[in-house]
Amino acid sequence: MREIVYRIEKIYYLILAIIGVPVNLLGIVILSRGKCGLSTCTTRYLVAMAMADLLVIITDVILWRINRYYFSGSFLDIIPVCSVVFALFRAARDCSVWFTVTFTFDRFVAICCQKLKTKYCTEKTAAVVLATTCILICSKNVPYYFSVEPGEIIDNVPWFCQMKTSYYISPGWLGFDWFDKVLSPLLPFTLILLLNALTVRHILVASRVRKGLRGQSKGENRNDPEMENRRKSVILLFTISGSFLLLWLVYVIHFLYYKITSISPRNYNNSQYIFQRGGYMLLNLSCCTNTFIYGATQSKFREQVKSIMKYPVTTIIRLIHKQKD
């Protein structure tokens, strides 16, 4: 059974890398141009999320997983190198999670806190929040560099990172593991659910008040530009945060399971192992979904995608015409 899971993962992560790198690069390029009809503040958060997702694909999927599946025994498997890669992909993953939280909070303020909006929802504030979050997250993940040990010693060179046995039994490492999982993704899960619930509540109350002020009766259906803009913003918020919650859910359940049962992942039976590996596959998939969400929910983003896709063709046609002339 584990051999079958291994083969599935081998193909899955290769496909994920092939799709994830260009998709996130496309999202970064389009959003950075600032032509999607989004505020500069929102754009900063979305670009940061796309960059973090791209780093997860590069460090976790390509340098960590694909290297082990296809290039085992390369220099990336030497302990000092793979320790750095391990710490980097944990930091990149946490940044991806917390950038989603900061984006959710920004949209909550923009929708629900009109007095705070003018001060908080600015490009400068977004830059400070993102930079501070990144620094704190990277600092928090430094211990992961020291959490691995060599699987083999070949000619006095340590190879193949694996988690230290003490990581699962030492009080210090167990405490760090709890802290790590609470910080990401348990706390982000709670915050995103809470912020979205408060946002929904505010929207429902505001919609009733606004309809009353506009004198809308049961049989009338007048267009309200402000409510339409808010609706688009809410759709973007809920699809991004909803996708994150769904794709990380299995991983969260698995963490709670092994903490409650105190069963080490090294001693899992087949069903437990499949559940664990499925959780990792889904959370890595979350690093490829946001660009598709932008395309599905933002018409101007789709226009920019079409423009970029047409650009090479139109350039070639112009060159051909110039040569003929």
Side-chain angles (χ1 to χ4, degrees):
M1 179 59 71
R2 298 198 177 198
E3 179 64 26
I4 295 174
V5 173
Y6 175 86
R7 292 177 182 177
I8 293 173
E9 286 184 330
K10 187 175 180 179
I11 297 171
Y12 173 82
Y13 284 114
L14 179 61
I15 295 172
L16 197 64
I18 293 171
I19 295 174
V21 171
V23 160
N24 282 300
L25 283 173
L26 179 65
I28 292 168
V29 170
I30 292 176
L31 291 168
S32 298
R33 296 174 70 182
K35 297 181 179 180
C36 297
L38 300 170
S39 67
T40 54
C41 177
T42 300
T43 299
R44 274 191 179 270
Y45 285 109
L46 297 183
V47 170
M49 289 162 62
M51 292 178 68
D53 289 343
L54 177 61
L55 287 174
V56 173
I57 296 296
I58 292 172
T59 56
D60 187 359
V61 177
I62 297 176
L63 297 181
W64 185 262
R65 299 182 189 280
I66 289 181
N67 172 66
R68 292 200 163 192
Y69 292 132
Y70 294 94
F71 309 105
S72 182
S74 71
F75 78 97
L76 291 172
D77 289 317
I78 300 174
I79 282 293
V81 179
C82 67
S83 298
V84 171
V85 173
F86 185 58
L88 284 176
F89 90 65
R90 298 297 303 224
R93 185 191 294 173
D94 285 356
C95 283
S96 176
V97 171
W98 277 97
F99 287 168
T100 304
V101 176
T102 57
F103 167 73
T104 305
F105 183 74
D106 175 79
R107 291 300 84 201
F108 166 75
V109 172
I111 295 170
C112 304
C113 309
Q114 294 302 311
K115 292 182 180 180
L116 183 60
K117 177 181 176 181
T118 54
K119 294 183 179 180
Y120 184 83
C121 299
T122 63
E123 189 175 2
K124 182 179 179 180
T125 301
V128 172
V129 169
L130 291 169
T132 303
T133 302
C134 183
I135 292 170
L136 292 175
I137 290 299
C138 290
S139 300
K140 189 273 291 184
N141 282 283
V142 169
Y144 273 115
Y145 177 86
F146 306 99
S147 68
V148 295
E149 62 184 5
E152 296 181 33
I153 303 292
I154 303 175
D155 295 329
N156 294 322
V157 178
W159 290 82
F160 307 113
C161 284
Q162 63 181 26
M163 297 302 292
K164 292 180 177 178
T165 304
S166 60
Y167 187 85
Y168 301 103
I169 58 177
S170 169
W173 281 119
L174 289 173
F176 173 77
D177 189 55
W178 261 110
F179 172 72
D180 176 65
K181 296 304 187 298
V182 168
L183 197 64
S184 179
L186 297 184
L187 182 57
F189 246 64
T190 305
L191 289 175
I192 289 175
L193 286 171
L194 176 62
L195 291 170
N196 283 346
L198 293 173
T199 302
V200 169
R201 179 177 176 274
H202 176 85
I203 290 171
L204 292 175
V205 172
S207 296
R208 293 195 205 101
V209 172
R210 192 165 183 82
K211 286 181 180 180
L213 292 174
R214 289 175 62 86
Q216 289 187 326
S217 63
K218 294 181 180 180
E220 293 176 335
N221 186 25
R222 299 176 185 174
N223 290 326
D224 186 343
E226 183 175 334
M227 291 303 295
E228 182 64 20
N229 291 333
R230 181 173 293 181
R231 184 184 69 84
K232 292 179 180 179
S233 179
V234 168
I235 289 174
L236 179 63
L237 167 64
F238 286 173
T239 49
I240 289 175
S241 56
S243 171
F244 166 79
L245 292 172
L246 287 174
L247 293 175
W248 277 78
L249 183 60
V250 174
Y251 177 82
V252 172
I253 294 173
H254 163 257
F255 165 73
L256 295 174
Y257 170 80
Y258 97 78
K259 283 299 182 185
I260 293 171
T261 60
S262 299
I263 299 175
S264 170
R266 291 183 174 184
N267 300 321
Y268 278 174
N269 59 34
N270 286 337
S271 59
Q272 293 166 333
Y273 179 78
I274 292 171
F275 191 79
Q276 178 200 36
R277 306 312 299 178
Y280 287 125
M281 292 169 73
L282 288 174
L283 71 85
N284 281 310
L285 178 62
S286 69
C287 294
C288 297
T289 56
N290 282 350
T291 300
F292 293 106
I293 289 172
Y294 306 150
T297 60
Q298 305 293 309
S299 58
K300 291 186 178 180
F301 186 90
R302 290 195 297 272
E303 292 173 5
Q304 291 297 309
V305 172
K306 292 177 183 177
S307 176
I308 289 178
M309 295 302 179
K310 290 178 181 178
Y311 181 77
V313 178
T314 55
T315 303
I316 292 172
I317 293 173
R318 287 173 186 171
L319 290 173
I320 293 172
H321 284 314
K322 283 183 180 180
Q323 289 177 356
K324 287 183 179 180
D325 295 338

